[in-house]
Amino acid sequence: MAQNRIIPAAALIAIGGSAGSLDVLLKTLPFLEPSHNKAILIILHRKPTDDEVLVELLAFKSAWPVKEAEEGEPILPGHVYVAPPDYHLLIESNRSFSLDASEKINYSRPSIDVSFESAAEVYGPTLVALILSGANTDGTAGMKIVKKRGGTCAAQSPASATTPYMPQHAIKSVQMERVLQPDEIPAYINQLFSGL
Amino acid sequence: MDSQQLISDRDIEMLLNDVINLYGYDFTEYSKASLRRRIQRLFSIDKFPAFAEFRYRIKNDPEYFSRFVEEITVNVTEMFRDPSFYQALREEVLPVLATHPFIRIWHAGCSTGEEVYSMAILLHEANLLHKSLLYATDINPTVLEKLRSGIFPLSQMKQYSENYILSGGKDEFSRYYTAKYDRAKFDENLSKGMIVSTHNLVSDRSFNAFQLIVCRNVLIYFDKGLKDKALSLFDESLEKLGFLALGSKENIKFSPIAHKYRQLPDRQKIWRKIE
């Protein structure tokens, strides 16, 4: 069956953002180079009633296919997945997505912490967590687990962020591999796992 | 949660086997990622020094086991969650149900019952509540006690009222409850036709023929095999031309029952049984 040929992404770049992060993503996605081994997962704080406008907007700017992550869907390389509104997004050990409608974490659903932690369990050293502009502390606790599992953490430079609190808080608590200006992010992502 | 110990897959597997053998609850076909997160969370909150002690406590303390079930099954719910879903129920489903002399609705995995009360309000407004029975079931007896009381936190009412209006509600939402201190007690007329009982979608069978089954944000916690099994159970429990309503990210698309159902327009997660 065709199922046998599905080879999930070997590496994952999980990007968390809140207020002010959409602009950075729109400036990053057009410059992604094709990849046969890594996928991108975007966890953005958004209203529960948000429809697919965000996905369409990102898809319009992206060199890679962009879609909302669906329950049970395998994570394919060269794809950008967006966490759906009003659900937490988790990753199963067979590298597929699963959803969770439990209580908000850090006043947020989807919560960046929840996805970072779950991705860390599965992807370990082949996970890079990147935190962008935002106004709360979501992402920091998740990044600690990412570190514990051997993954890599990076942040948008707070000085460049419209809302610097989120990357600032993460930088204070977690050792970052890189603190990036928005225009450095595409090149950084492109070189990740290039030898894998 | 810096000091939290990480629980292994093997730990979880052993724990779930204990739970089946001692209590008969089978969580082995639940989605692992979510289950792991909730087990990890309970383990950290209750500050067990080691996983073996956590396991021992669950094995030997039935009261703590109740807490375990309550914490690892997700009991987050809202009134009129996804208002456009409730609007579709008002406009597309209730007019069909109205043609029946008697209406039977099953809320499977209803948790604390906010959606059951939402349905009762819809039925009341369509002048159908007097001829309706609302079966409300959940695996977890504790949450059903909350449903029976009809009492919900007052702090939620602003959000619920907004959802209600977005769903097409025309009344003052506050006419449905009495506020006292920090609680809202819902009108007892709404709960007259509710039949509340435990039911386990993993192990229990179909128990009636319904015109509408509502099961929202339960199947997302199940593995593919268990999800298909639950959908077949719903299929057996639905009358022909009955409706099946799921959560906004749930689908019957790749299930064995898919060919018997047609989805309502506008991407609502409501299907009609056509054969």
Side-chain angles (χ1 to χ4, degrees), chain A residues 52 68 71 84 86-87 90-92 98-103 105 109 114 121 144-145 148-149, chain B residues 2 4 6 31-34 36-38 41 74 76 78 81 217 220-221 227 247-249 267:
Chain A
E52 284 169 19
E68 198 173 271
E71 171 72 28
D86 211 26
Y87 288 82
L90 302 171
I91 294 170
E92 298 288 344
S98 82
L99 299 178
D100 176 317
S102 60
E103 56 282 318
I105 304 285
R109 191 175 50 221
V114 169
E121 293 292 335
K144 286 181 184 167
I145 308 283
K148 223 182 225 178
R149 291 297 196 187
Chain B
D2 252 332
Q4 68 173 290
L6 295 167
S31 299
K32 289 290 170 297
S34 175
R36 154 188 288 282
R37 178 172 159 253
R38 302 197 72 77
R41 185 170 160 274
V74 172
V76 177
E78 270 175 42
R81 184 171 188 169
N217 292 326
I220 50 173
Y221 301 110
K227 192 179 295 177
S248 67
K249 300 297 169 194
R267 292 192 301 182

Side-chain angles (χ1 to χ4, degrees), chain A residues 46-145:
Chain A
R46 51 203 286 218
K47 286 205 193 86
T49 49
D50 243 6
D51 47 21
E52 284 169 19
V53 176
L54 174 69
V55 172
E56 280 165 25
L57 183 64
L58 294 172
F60 184 68
K61 287 282 184 181
S62 173
W64 293 8
V66 180
K67 69 185 297 293
E68 198 173 271
E70 285 182 61
E71 171 72 28
E73 176 177 33
I75 303 172
L76 299 179
H79 283 65
V80 176
Y81 298 95
V82 182
D86 211 26
Y87 288 82
H88 296 304
L89 186 70
L90 302 171
I91 294 170
E92 298 288 344
S93 52
N94 67 356
R95 303 188 176 191
S96 66
F97 290 115
S98 82
L99 299 178
D100 176 317
S102 60
E103 56 282 318
K104 293 180 178 179
I105 304 285
N106 308 313
Y107 313 100
S108 311
R109 191 175 50 221
S111 146
I112 300 166
D113 276 343
V114 169
S115 293
F116 278 5
E117 282 174 23
S118 174
E121 293 292 335
V122 175
Y123 276 92
T126 56
L127 173 69
V128 174
L130 171 63
I131 194 95
L132 304 178
S133 175
N136 76 12
T137 64
D138 199 16
T140 299
M143 280 186 147
K144 286 181 184 167
I145 308 283

Side-chain angles (χ1 to χ4, degrees), chain B residues 11-272:
Chain B
D11 289 336
I12 291 177
E13 200 182 305
M14 287 191 305
L15 178 65
L16 298 185
N17 282 330
D18 291 345
V19 166
I20 299 178
N21 293 334
L22 285 162
Y23 299 100
Y25 282 80
D26 185 356
F27 293 109
T28 56
E29 292 180 277
Y30 276 52
S31 299
K32 289 290 170 297
S34 175
L35 199 58
R36 154 188 288 282
R37 178 172 159 253
R38 302 197 72 77
I39 291 173
Q40 183 90 55
R41 185 170 160 274
L42 179 62
F43 176 77
S44 302
I45 291 174
D46 288 352
K47 300 195 170 61
F48 285 93
F51 192 78
E53 294 194 34
F54 181 57
R55 212 180 135 198
Y56 182 85
R57 180 81 184 272
I58 289 167
K59 272 161 81 167
N60 294 290
D61 180 350
E63 239 171 82
Y64 190 76
F65 173 71
S66 302
R67 172 168 167 76
F68 172 80
V69 172
E70 194 175 347
E71 289 298 318
I72 69 161
T73 54
V74 172
N75 294 302
V76 177
T77 175
E78 270 175 42
M79 284 193 174
F80 295 95
R81 184 171 188 169
D82 309 321
S84 62
F85 168 80
Y86 280 91
Q87 192 171 17
L89 284 179
R90 276 184 204 276
E91 291 169 6
E92 316 275 339
V93 177
L94 293 197
V96 177
L97 297 189
T99 64
H100 291 262
F102 206 74
I103 302 169
R104 283 183 307 274
I105 299 173
W106 178 16
H107 283 265
C110 65
S111 187
T112 43
E114 279 81 341
E115 298 212 74
V116 189
Y117 277 86
S118 309
M119 182 69 76
I121 289 170
L122 292 192
L123 290 165
H124 167 78
E125 292 185 359
N127 197 24
L128 299 171
L129 187 58
H130 63 281
K131 60 166 184 172
S132 302
L133 279 183
L134 292 111
Y135 289 76
T137 68
D138 199 274
I139 184 178
N140 177 354
T142 318
V143 293
L144 294 176
E145 283 312 312
K146 291 184 188 158
L147 190 163
R148 283 197 184 96
S149 75
I151 297 170
F152 301 103
L154 192 60
S155 57
Q156 303 289 319
M157 291 305 137
K158 185 169 169 288
Q159 177 67 53
Y160 294 172
S161 170
E162 282 168 21
N163 288 356
Y164 164 79
I165 289 161
L166 286 171
S167 81
K170 301 274 188 293
D171 273 316
E172 282 292 324
F173 186 63
S174 57
R175 63 167 290 208
Y176 292 110
Y177 62 84
T178 317
K180 201 170 183 188
Y181 304 108
D182 56 351
R183 278 150 206 282
K185 172 141 180 57
F186 275 73
D187 190 341
E188 280 174 12
N189 281 321
L190 294 173
S191 56
K192 266 188 194 154
M194 290 181 193
I195 297 167
V196 182
S197 154
T198 56
H199 182 278
N200 187 336
L201 289 169
V202 179
S203 54
D204 294 348
R205 299 210 44 83
S206 158
F207 60 95
N208 211 329
F210 298 95
Q211 285 112 26
L212 169 61
I213 296 177
V214 181
C215 180
R216 304 186 75 218
N217 292 326
V218 177
L219 301 182
I220 50 173
Y221 301 110
F222 293 173
D223 274 1
K224 165 94 175 119
L226 183 53
K227 192 179 295 177
D228 287 350
K229 199 172 133 192
L231 285 171
S232 297
L233 177 70
F234 295 154
D235 182 50
E236 286 162 32
S237 315
L238 258 189
E239 284 184 356
K240 193 180 169 192
L241 299 176
F243 296 90
L244 174 63
L246 303 178
S248 67
K249 300 297 169 194
E250 292 169 326
N251 215 310
I252 68 168
K253 216 170 14 184
F254 301 109
S255 78
I257 69 162
H259 65 282
K260 298 172 153 187
Y261 287 78
R262 199 182 59 230
Q263 190 170 5
L264 296 196
D266 299 330
R267 292 192 301 182
Q268 287 303 327
K269 295 303 168 69
I270 304 174
W271 286 263
R272 188 151 196 207

